[in-house]
Each structure stands twice: as structure tokens, then as C-alpha cells.
Amino acid sequence: MTRAILAGPDRDGLGTALEVQGIDVTRVEGVLTAPVLDDAGIDDADLFVLTDLDEATAISVVKDRNPDVRVVVYSHDSLPNFARGQTDLAMDPDLFGVDMVAEELA
């Protein structure tokens, strides 16, 4: 089973759409420190989905903990330059609906 960590608020319902596709979703919010990500199971995650780009520095922590994890940004905000090289996919919710994104990630 595919495991995903959804980090940040889920105003668009992406977490539910991922679960409908059979993905096991762990949700985390707040400051994304290494211990928070470890507790969420980042070592075993297949996907890390970030919706709060104020926490974009977590992407480097995620990749350090799990180099094979696929990093997906789903946000209306712009991805900071420092995080672009470690992000596999960045999508704007205004352009890509949750059902389509979930289907592609599954």
C-alpha cells in the first residue's frame, strides 16, 4: 500500500481524494521539525505532500530522512527557489483538481 504524509492544511480535500485512491494518509500540521516528521513515519513514506509553503524547509529534512520519497507540493503559493531542486512535482490547486492529482499519484 502506498503511504503518504500530507503536511499542512487540506482546504481542498486532497487527503480524502488520496484515501479514495487507496493511499494510506498521515496528516501533520504546524512546524514540520525532524521529530514531527519522524513520528509521522517519513522513513516509510512513498509520498510527501506539502500544502503549506511556509514549511518548505521541511522538504530538505524529508529528503535527508528518506531520499526515495516523492515530494509533491500542492499549493496556491510559489515554491521557494531553494526547494525546487528537491521537489518532484508542484501543482496549483486552481489548475489541478484534487481528484485528478490523487489519481495520478496513486
Side-chain angles (χ1 to χ4, degrees), residues 2-101:
T2 301
R3 294 196 63 246
I5 295 176
L6 179 67
D10 189 15
R11 293 180 191 97
D12 299 297
L14 181 57
T16 300
L18 290 169
E19 289 170 336
V20 167
Q21 292 295 322
I23 296 174
D24 178 27
V25 178
T26 300
R27 293 167 171 82
V28 292
E29 288 194 50
V31 179
L32 300 176
T33 62
V36 167
L37 294 166
D38 289 340
D39 288 346
I42 195 60
D43 289 342
D44 298 321
D46 302 295
L47 295 168
F48 176 73
V49 181
L50 182 65
T51 64
D52 180 3
L53 293 186
D54 287 340
E55 294 296 321
T57 55
I59 293 171
S60 62
V61 175
V62 164
K63 284 302 227 180
D64 182 56
R65 293 285 200 263
N66 182 348
D68 297 325
V69 73
R70 188 169 178 203
V71 174
V72 177
V73 171
Y74 191 70
S75 177
H76 297 278
D77 300 322
S78 295
L79 183 63
N81 285 337
F82 71 84
R84 289 185 181 168
Q86 294 180 309
T87 300
D88 296 296
L89 189 58
M91 294 172 287
D92 185 330
D94 289 333
L95 302 174
F96 301 96
V98 293
D99 293 331
M100 184 191 74
V101 171

